[in-house]
Amino acid sequence: GAVVSQHPSRVICKSGTSVKIECRSLDFQATTMFWYRQFPKQSLMLMATSNEGSKATYEQGVEKDKFLINHASLTLSTLTVTSAHPEDSSFYICSARASVPYNEQFFGPGTRLTVL
Amino acid sequence: SQELEQSPQSLIVQEGKNLTINCTSSKTLYGLYWYKQKYGEGLIFLMMLQKGGEEKSHEKITAKLDEKKQQSSLHITASQPSHAGIYLCGAHLYDMRFGAGTRLTVKP
């Protein structure tokens, strides 16, 4: 199957700093990428959807100014957590959807963010 | 939006026992996915069901989608400690949404 990578896999940062997480589709072009967040003992919750070259669409309750998403190319999307706080500590998973076959969605391995 | 309810939320079984996890949708499912995960790790794709009445098996895991395409079940036969983890059902129209997950513990 198609491969989606995320970098970094783990990051620890101080409160107030910004953290960037990269999501790459390695062997296919992803017209749409999705960002999910998962808190301990909870399921994955969709944060936002991004289409290459356009602004991301955020789910209700997700602050777009805090979670900046850039989908600059068909193989790369980035999520920047700005002015991170301890409550932002979570597991972030990206997903990419290939143009063909439509609706196939592939998931990255996730990034564990810890904000001290 | 698609809403998926999973049950049970958690399950503890003795090794060797069979178990079933259910996933119910508020809308007709056009694609139902089952994943396994351990928190802090990525999703492991198990199976995808599309057709009403469809059933797929892989090793000791069988997934079914009912005729109305609103309910799916995941059945594990003769469970092993390696089956432990979080099982998530997911479905999408445009983006993938997940059920709350079922945390499975298998006692040796």
Side-chain angles (χ1 to χ4, degrees):
Chain A
V3 178
V4 176
S5 70
Q6 274 185 247
H7 178 79
S9 58
R10 289 174 180 246
V11 58
I12 301 173
C13 68
K14 293 182 179 180
S15 184
T17 60
S18 294
V19 175
K20 180 184 284 188
I21 303 170
E22 291 187 348
C23 177
R24 293 181 185 272
S25 57
L26 298 184
D27 51 2
F28 66 99
Q29 292 187 329
T31 51
T32 306
M33 286 188 170
F34 307 90
W35 287 95
Y36 295 83
R37 179 169 54 183
Q38 186 182 32
F39 292 109
K41 298 186 178 181
Q42 294 187 22
S43 187
L44 277 72
M45 298 300 295
L46 181 66
M47 298 174 67
T49 302
S50 71
N51 291 296
E52 186 264 337
S54 62
K55 290 184 179 180
T57 302
Y58 291 81
E59 294 298 301
Q60 193 172 8
V62 178
E63 300 175 57
K64 62 180 181 180
D65 294 330
K66 181 169 185 61
F67 298 99
L68 301 179
I69 293 173
N70 187 318
H71 192 165
S73 76
L74 286 172
T75 59
L76 173 65
S77 176
T78 60
L79 168 68
T80 301
V81 183
T82 62
S83 187
H85 290 110
E87 57 265 31
D88 298 324
S89 299
S90 187
F91 190 59
Y92 293 86
I93 299 181
C94 75
S95 178
R97 184 165 67 204
S99 303
V100 178
Y102 190 69
N103 278 347
E104 279 291 335
Q105 201 169 322
F106 303 98
F107 289 84
T111 296
R112 182 179 293 184
L113 170 63
T114 302
V115 184
L116 302 177
Chain B
S1 62
Q2 187 87 47
E3 291 189 1
L4 297 173
E5 288 191 10
Q6 264 186 258
S7 63
Q9 287 188 338
S10 65
L11 194 54
I12 302 173
V13 300
Q14 201 69 38
E15 182 177 0
K17 295 294 185 183
N18 304 335
L19 63 105
T20 301
I21 300 169
N22 293 300
C23 179
T24 302
S25 170
S26 57
K27 298 181 180 179
T28 300
L29 296 163
Y30 293 100
L32 188 285
Y33 296 74
W34 283 100
Y35 294 90
K36 180 185 174 185
Q37 189 204 21
K38 293 185 178 181
Y39 176 72
E41 299 180 15
L43 301 178
I44 300 171
F45 171 77
L46 296 176
M47 274 170 275
M48 191 269 279
L49 305 166
Q50 279 189 308
K51 300 177 182 177
E54 188 174 9
E55 179 176 323
K56 289 185 178 179
S57 293
H58 178 66
E59 296 180 345
K60 295 184 178 181
I61 300 176
T62 300
K64 300 178 184 180
L65 182 61
D66 74 340
E67 289 289 344
K68 293 183 179 180
K69 298 200 295 183
Q70 285 190 282
Q71 187 165 10
S72 179
S73 62
L74 186 80
H75 184 78
I76 299 177
T77 303
S79 59
Q80 300 170 352
S82 60
H83 288 126
I86 302 168
Y87 288 82
L88 296 164
C89 64
H92 62 73
L93 289 176
Y94 178 72
D95 52 59
M96 183 80 75
R97 306 285 174 140
F98 293 91
T102 297
R103 185 177 298 273
L104 173 64
T105 302
V106 180
K107 289 188 172 181

